[in-house]
């Protein structure tokens, strides 16, 4: 039952359609203002009346029925009070019948949404700087699929550039095959750091590195084999993290994949008269758009990050015919995306408007910032492991007899890392704190998971419950909880529209808080009447279902017991 639509269809405002009215109706945060409200301010211009007068005349025309019990005009708002029993009945029926599909839709109609996320750099360990892009991207990926889009996850590997020439040079100087095979990316990183230290006093090493990089480009068998091996080692290293976080990709086409796809782009830019020479380099002038020029080719003819991204965008359009192509990348790269999106637009690509930079803020640990070159990096794997370890300690203390502590600790620890990164509006910088993300009483995933375990335990104790009937008079706790569950489908839509999974995490906490109020103030298993007990059990079951669906969109599992 779509209440907004139902109300809108019963209002008569000349020249304003029911759809327009429905879009204006809100759920007021203060229950004193009714269950739904129509703010009349936006109608003043069309109806040429004051909001107060509009609310009053709409109210006078409105006939209450068994769905909408009452309408009241207050200060330019038209407030509606619904028949709560009917409404809660509708909500329960919907959640329980739709089950794991509650909140899903087919509105996407199979349209393709490419999502460029995680996009790790070869030969570097996965550090905490790549946490947000990975969990945000993966959440958006799941949300899009849940809404009937076809998400295509792309890991645009950072596997191109002179740093790989440096790595080959370092490996040839000091590398040991067995050691590197055993230590993986850490060994590569060490070689890289050592190379930089040496190069400070031996600048000629730079030329050697460039020469090696050129050899990779020219597909010299030895260099290419080494480079492929470095890639393989890196992907093996990140695979464990992806598995823990339940993150998947449909493509690993990285920057080097576009090596041979850039020439036609440069040619097209030239043909369209967009290329200009500047100090030997080839650029696209963006002064008219208040941006520095987008450099396409360096003086020595080599390509840039932007050139590869342009080739990638064109390739993705041709391959996937996307409806949207999202780039989940830190805000530090704002200018880069603005520039190459603009250049594609200037090339006359009508789909340039469908490219979206989903920018997010920085994550740092409480201890402070980090830098890659010097080697004092915070590795994501260490953060996850530490969270799992701490979760294990907490769970063991709270419930020493719990059977599968390890499995529970894994779900709790991994959940804490994900939820910690997805709880705030993505553009905000976050300082990650172990104590905060693992606080059982905080706005955390473990609080939500614990609530689920509580709901589960009630349901298990109850066994099979027969039919329920929604009581004629509901407690505030029951009604508020049901309403929070009802907000889920709309929240998923907004999360998709704004690329903000945090809307879902926040709703999880809201639902959990409302469930706990309900749990402590309304007797469930010991309710006065059998029918009331069954109703409360149905509400408990619907809560568990909604929270399970919501958490799974974020990539967080729900332990049965905790
Ligand atoms: N590898 C880059 C980095 O770590 C991110 C790449 C983002 N994707 C893109 N198409 N530019 O900063």
């Amino acid at each position: 039952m779509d209440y907004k639509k139902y109300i809108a269809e019963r209002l008569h405002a000349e020249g304003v359609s029911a759809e327009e009215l429905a879009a204006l109706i809100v759920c007021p945060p203060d229950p004193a203002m009714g269950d739904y409200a129509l703010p009349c301010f936006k109608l003043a211009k069309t109806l040429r009346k004051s909001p107060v007068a509009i609310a009053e005349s709409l109210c006078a025309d409105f006939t209450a029925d068994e769905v909408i019990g009452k309408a009241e005009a207050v200060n330019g708002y038209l407030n509606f009070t619904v028949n709560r029993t009917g409404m809660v009945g509708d909500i329960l029926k919907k959640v329980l019948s739709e089950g794991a599909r509650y909140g899903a839709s087919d509105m996407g109609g199979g349209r393709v949404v490419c999502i460029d996320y995680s996009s790790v750099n070869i030969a570097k360990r996965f550090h905490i700087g790549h946490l947000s892009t990975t969990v945000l991207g993966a959440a958006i990926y799941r949300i899009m699929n849940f809404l009937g889009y076809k998400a295509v996850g792309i890991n645009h590997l950072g596997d191109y550039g002179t740093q790989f020439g440096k790595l080959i040079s370092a490996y040839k100087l000091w590398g040991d095959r067995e050691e590197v095979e055993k230590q993986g990316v850490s060994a590569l990183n060490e070689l890289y750091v050592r190379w930089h230290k040496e190069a400070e006093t031996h600048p000629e090493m730079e030329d050697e590195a460039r020469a090696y990089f050129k050899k990779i480009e020219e597909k010299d068998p030895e260099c290419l084999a080494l480079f492929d091996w470095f890639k393989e080692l890196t992907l093996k290293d990140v695979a464990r993290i992806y598995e823990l976080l339940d993150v998947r990709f449909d493509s690993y086409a990285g920057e080097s994949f576009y090596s041979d796809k850039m020439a036609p782009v440069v040619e097209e830019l030239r043909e369209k008269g967009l290329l200009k020479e500047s100090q030997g380099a080839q650029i696209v002038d963006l002064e008219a758009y208040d941006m520095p020029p987008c450099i396409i080719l360096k003086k020595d003819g080599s390509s840039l990050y932007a050139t590869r991204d342009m080739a990638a965008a064109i390739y993705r359009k041709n391959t996937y015919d996307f409806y949207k192509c999202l780039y989940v990348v830190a805000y530090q790269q704002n200018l880069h995306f603005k520039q190459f999106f603009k250049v594609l637009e200037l090339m006359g690509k009508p789909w340039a408007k469908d490219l979206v930079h989903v920018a997010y803020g920085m994550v740092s640990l409480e201890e402070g910032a980090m830098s890659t070159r010097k080697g004092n990096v915070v590795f994501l794997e260490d953060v996850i492991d530490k969270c799992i370890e701490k979760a294990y300690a907490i769970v063991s203390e709270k419930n020493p007899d719990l059977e599968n502590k390890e499995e529970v600790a894994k779900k709790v620890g991994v959940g804490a890392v994900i939820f910690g990164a997805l709880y705030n509006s993505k553009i905000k910088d976050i300082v990650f704190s172990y104590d905060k993300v693992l606080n059982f009483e905080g706005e955390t995933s473990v609080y939500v998971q614990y609530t689920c375990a509580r709901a589960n335990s009630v349901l298990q104790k109850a066994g099979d419950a027969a039919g329920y009937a929604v009581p004629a008079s509901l407690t505030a706790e029951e009604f508020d909880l049901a309403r929070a569950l009802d907000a889920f489908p709309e929240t998923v839509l907004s999360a998709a529209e704004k690329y903000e999974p945090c809307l879902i995490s926040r709703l999880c906490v809201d639902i959990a808080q409302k469930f706990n109020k309900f749990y402590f103030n309304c007797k469930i298993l010991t309710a006065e009447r059998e029918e009331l007990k069954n109703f409360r059990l149905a509400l408990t079951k619907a809560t568990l279902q909604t929270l399970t669906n919501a958490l799974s969109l974020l990539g967080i599992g729900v332990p049965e017991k905790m």
Side-chain angles (χ1 to χ4, degrees), residues 116 119-121 130 156 158 305 309 316 327 329 333 336-337:
D116 178 324
S119 301
V120 288
N121 299 318
H130 274 97
H156 187 75
Y305 184 47
D309 253 328
R316 288 174 193 173
Y327 298 83
V329 183
Q333 297 190 29
H336 164 71
F337 287 100

Side-chain angles (χ1 to χ4, degrees), residues 93-105:
K93 211 185 323 165
K94 190 167 163 67
V95 182
L96 296 176
S97 67
E98 292 180 4
R101 292 281 300 159
Y102 177 56
S105 111

Side-chain angles (χ1 to χ4, degrees), residues 4 8 11-13 16-25 38 43 58:
K4 292 182 181 176
L11 294 171
H12 315 284
V16 189
S17 70
E19 281 81 50
E20 289 169 289
L21 284 172
L24 290 176
I25 295 175
L38 173 71
L43 298 171
L58 287 177

Side-chain angles (χ1 to χ4, degrees), residues 47 90 128 139 172 314 339 356 472 485:
L47 300 180
D90 285 347
I128 197 170
K172 291 197 142 223
I314 293 170
Q339 284 181 311
V356 184
L485 303 183

Side-chain angles (χ1 to χ4, degrees), residues 156-289:
H156 187 75
L157 300 175
D159 59 0
Y160 189 98
T162 40
Q163 70 266 36
F164 299 105
K166 292 175 187 172
L167 204 57
I168 289 183
S169 150
Y171 178 75
K172 291 197 142 223
L173 283 168
W174 316 296
D176 175 81
R177 187 150 193 123
E178 255 171 57
E179 183 66 17
V180 173
E181 192 69 68
K182 211 166 80 204
Q183 304 290 339
V185 187
S186 314
L188 295 178
N189 200 59
E190 248 164 59
L191 285 170
Y192 189 68
V193 171
R194 180 164 173 194
W195 191 94
H196 270 275
K197 228 186 242 146
E198 293 280 326
E200 274 172 26
T201 46
H202 297 89
E204 70 283 358
M205 285 169 68
E206 299 275 353
D207 290 329
E208 192 185 270
R210 247 190 299 275
Y212 276 126
F213 175 58
K214 201 150 174 251
K215 280 190 169 183
I216 303 178
E217 282 268 85
E218 287 160 355
K219 305 209 180 334
D220 169 80
E222 192 204 355
C223 288
L224 202 60
L226 276 175
F227 176 56
D228 284 341
W229 179 45
F230 297 158
K231 244 172 142 162
E232 196 186 300
L233 289 170
T234 313
L235 291 178
K236 220 158 87 188
D237 193 60
V238 295
R240 194 182 103 86
I241 295 178
Y242 287 151
E243 204 188 304
L244 275 171
L245 298 175
D246 193 23
V247 169
R248 266 169 260 271
F249 298 93
D250 303 288
S251 159
Y252 279 87
E255 292 187 47
S256 71
F257 178 75
Y258 301 99
S259 290
D260 59 356
K261 298 174 182 62
M262 288 180 282
V265 181
V266 177
E267 206 32 59
E268 192 178 335
L269 282 166
R270 207 184 305 277
E271 264 169 34
K272 292 186 170 155
L274 290 164
L275 272 194
K276 228 165 102 174
E277 197 182 305
S278 167
Q279 296 165 10
Q282 297 293 319
I283 63 151
V284 176
D285 190 350
L286 295 175
E287 212 188 321
Y289 309 96

